[in-house]
Amino acid sequence: MMQEFIQVVEVSPRDGIQNEKKVLSTLKKEELISRAIDSGFKRIEVTSFVNPKKIPQMFDTDELIASLSKYKKKDVKLIGLVLNEKGFNRALASSIDVINYVVVASDTFSIRNQGASTLDNLKVLEKIYAKSNSKIEITTTIGASFGCPFEGEISSKKLLSIIEQISKIGLNEICLADTIGVATPKDIKVKLKAIKSSFPHLKVRLHLHNTRNTGIANAWAGIEEGVMGLESSFGGSGGCPFAPRATGNIPTEDLIYMLNRSGIKTGISLSKSIETALWLEKQLEKPLPGYLKNTDSFPP
């Protein structure tokens, strides 16, 4: 049975701008996050606790989070991406609501992304989960869940072994990231069915990139398999600095249109999402790949 509601997480303030030549000021980032809140988003990934020497777009993480209290609503959760224990300690000392720790499904990509193997990152996740002591919500994203730019295919068996370790740690929600946009709807269905069979208690979200123009189709396949959430970015902005030729996320406004037309509620304003996609395009001084912002609304 098709679910009536899907939670959409906006990731443009983090993933959407982390690979851009144009570095947004703190004030522009604040406006982007404010626009997301005004559009109806309840979960927004606002930044990452990383070394700004490696990701200069994240030069102001601590300052940005401190400035966001004036935009917050009680039912809105702001998410910060974390790649190591040092980043976790920074996040824990901030006023961020949710810490999203990344575990990459291949060692080569994991080492390039975080300087540690997949197993080592699982050990860090276990450590920070215990250290959080329920003081802050911890989630995890499994990067390159459907394919690695360096090692190729990621088998269901390998993915399930990682998920087993995450489940043993105590987390009950995971996000599968198609970091380089290689998945097809069949891949999505095969891996989600395997997860559902082995770990029926787990809630699953999808973080999809549209590198090969399969992102929206993959989102629909995920909905058919019962995912509880999808992550997207205004205008389809985004990309990973450590993945060759990585391109943007599925566009928020295109996703919301599809869900609206399909009778699936999100609580997100389509018109405000389109407005924000057009605004972000101007701020980044480049065309963004989303489609809906370039056409007429329907019905008129």
Side-chain angles (χ1 to χ4, degrees), residues 208-220:
L208 302 168
H209 283 252
N210 202 37
T211 314
R212 292 164 179 82
N213 203 31
T214 56
I216 290 290
N218 289 340
W220 188 256

Side-chain angles (χ1 to χ4, degrees), residues 210-269:
N210 202 37
T211 314
R212 292 164 179 82
N213 203 31
T214 56
I216 290 290
N218 289 340
W220 188 256
I223 291 168
E224 289 183 328
E225 291 302 321
V227 296
M228 53 82 68
L230 296 163
E231 299 189 350
S232 62
S233 178
F234 290 125
S237 56
C240 176
F242 303 106
R245 297 183 295 281
T247 54
N249 300 270
I250 53 173
T252 293
E253 61 282 3
D254 295 11
L255 175 64
I256 299 302
Y257 171 79
M258 178 182 73
L259 297 177
N260 282 356
R261 288 278 290 169
S262 303
I264 299 173
K265 296 177 182 179
T266 63
I268 311 299
S269 166

Side-chain angles (χ1 to χ4, degrees), residues 10-239:
E10 179 57 38
V11 300
S12 60
R14 195 276 303 173
D15 196 344
I17 65 172
Q18 71 174 1
N19 209 29
E20 294 294 334
K21 292 180 180 178
K22 175 70 175 181
V23 178
L24 296 190
S25 68
T26 305
L27 284 175
K28 292 296 184 184
K29 291 178 186 179
E30 284 183 29
E31 182 171 352
L32 176 57
I33 294 161
S34 175
R35 283 172 172 270
I37 293 171
D38 189 49
S39 297
F41 283 93
K42 305 301 183 187
R43 293 176 78 91
I44 306 163
E45 194 166 75
V46 296
T47 192
S48 55
F49 293 86
V50 292
N51 186 342
K53 291 181 180 178
K54 293 185 177 180
I55 313 290
Q57 296 85 351
M58 302 291 117
F59 70 96
D60 59 347
T61 293
D62 301 299
E63 177 187 354
L64 175 66
I65 293 171
S67 73
L68 292 176
S69 58
K70 56 182 173 287
Y71 301 106
K72 277 292 300 290
K73 297 178 180 178
K74 278 193 268 187
D75 56 349
V76 173
K77 290 193 174 183
L78 303 181
I79 304 165
L81 193 78
V82 166
L83 301 180
N84 51 41
E85 191 174 359
K86 184 177 180 180
F88 167 76
N89 290 332
R90 282 178 62 197
L92 196 60
S94 76
S95 59
I96 202 76
D97 300 309
V98 181
I99 292 173
N100 183 27
Y101 192 82
V102 176
V103 175
V104 182
S106 75
D107 281 332
T108 306
F109 196 173
S110 183
I111 289 166
R112 294 199 184 204
N113 192 59
Q114 290 159 272
S117 69
T118 303
L119 180 58
D120 286 341
N121 273 312
L122 285 167
K123 289 177 180 177
V124 174
L125 176 60
E126 183 175 16
K127 187 175 181 180
I128 69 171
Y129 185 74
K131 194 174 177 180
S132 70
N133 196 28
S134 302
K135 290 184 290 188
I136 190 166
E137 183 179 345
I138 305 287
T139 63
T140 189
T141 292
I142 305 175
S145 287
F146 301 91
C148 168
F150 311 107
E151 296 183 18
E153 296 287 350
I154 300 296
S155 68
S156 293
K157 182 179 179 181
K158 184 171 187 179
L159 184 63
L160 289 174
S161 70
I162 294 168
I163 293 171
E164 182 178 14
Q165 295 303 310
I166 292 170
S167 180
K168 285 179 179 177
I169 290 169
L171 282 82
N172 59 14
E173 180 182 324
I174 59 170
C175 179
L176 304 182
D178 186 18
T179 310
I180 58 171
V182 294
T184 66
K186 180 181 177 181
D187 299 323
I188 298 290
K189 284 176 171 285
V190 165
K191 286 187 172 168
L192 287 176
K193 285 179 187 295
I195 293 167
K196 193 184 301 181
S197 176
S198 298
F199 307 99
H201 67 287
L202 281 182
K203 298 177 182 178
V204 182
R205 298 191 320 279
L206 292 175
H207 176 103
L208 302 168
H209 283 252
N210 202 37
T211 314
R212 292 164 179 82
N213 203 31
T214 56
I216 290 290
N218 289 340
W220 188 256
I223 291 168
E224 289 183 328
E225 291 302 321
V227 296
M228 53 82 68
L230 296 163
E231 299 189 350
S232 62
S233 178
F234 290 125
S237 56

